[in-house]
Amino acid sequence: MRRVLRPRADRRQLDALHSALLAELRTLKRRVPHLAGGLVASVDGLLIVHDTHDTEADSLAALTAATLGVARRLAETTGQGEFRDALVHGEHGYVASYAAGPLCVLTLLAHPDTSVGRLHLEARRAAGRVAELVHTELAPPSVT
């Protein structure tokens, strides 16, 4: 993501954005019981920030982009509108991805005893904040 966004943002902006996004992931982890970790990735699969253990974050970011592409296509083809989120329920827990504006995706890993309702509620709010952070930090300066 740094390579993609470099023309729009300097190093200090990117560092500030990275810190703010990491803080958002950690806050989300405190708010959702049994949340194992998460990441923010660009829609093209580049890892921006992560708070995961036991998971290869770069691979998960790439898989998130692939999932996003399929989910967008599925929503479009079935007339369900714009992609909002996708949930995978596996034997050992959940993987959930949420649209975070036009540039990013929030992906979370949760244990099987996680409340899916709580996960969705908190993650959707967090995805909105991620979108705001990215937009605020990377928006071109206004001309006065």
Side-chain angles (χ1 to χ4, degrees), residues 42-73:
S42 67
V43 294
D44 56 355
L46 296 174
L47 179 65
I48 299 170
V49 66
H50 74 96
D51 183 15
T52 58
H53 310 285
D54 303 334
T55 303
E56 192 175 320
D58 287 316
S59 294
L60 183 55
L63 287 168
T64 293
T67 300
L68 176 65
V70 171
R72 280 181 170 170
R73 179 70 183 191

Side-chain angles (χ1 to χ4, degrees), residues 35-107:
L35 186 62
L39 63 80
V40 176
S42 67
V43 294
D44 56 355
L46 296 174
L47 179 65
I48 299 170
V49 66
H50 74 96
D51 183 15
T52 58
H53 310 285
D54 303 334
T55 303
E56 192 175 320
D58 287 316
S59 294
L60 183 55
L63 287 168
T64 293
T67 300
L68 176 65
V70 171
R72 280 181 170 170
R73 179 70 183 191
L74 183 62
E76 178 185 300
T77 300
T78 59
Q80 301 304 313
E82 189 175 337
F83 169 80
R84 302 281 183 204
D85 52 64
L87 179 70
V88 175
H89 182 192
E91 180 181 357
H92 301 293
Y94 298 93
V95 179
S97 294
Y98 300 86
L103 299 175
C104 300
V105 180
L106 171 66
T107 294

Side-chain angles (χ1 to χ4, degrees), residues 9-10 16-18 22-23 49 56 59 86 90 117 132:
D10 67 25
L17 177 60
H18 184 272
L22 189 56
V49 66
E56 192 175 320
S59 294
E132 267 182 42

Side-chain angles (χ1 to χ4, degrees), residues 32-37 92-96 108-115 119:
V32 179
H34 311 291
L35 186 62
H92 301 293
Y94 298 93
V95 179
L108 303 172
L109 307 172
H111 297 287
D113 49 353
T114 298
S115 164
L119 176 68

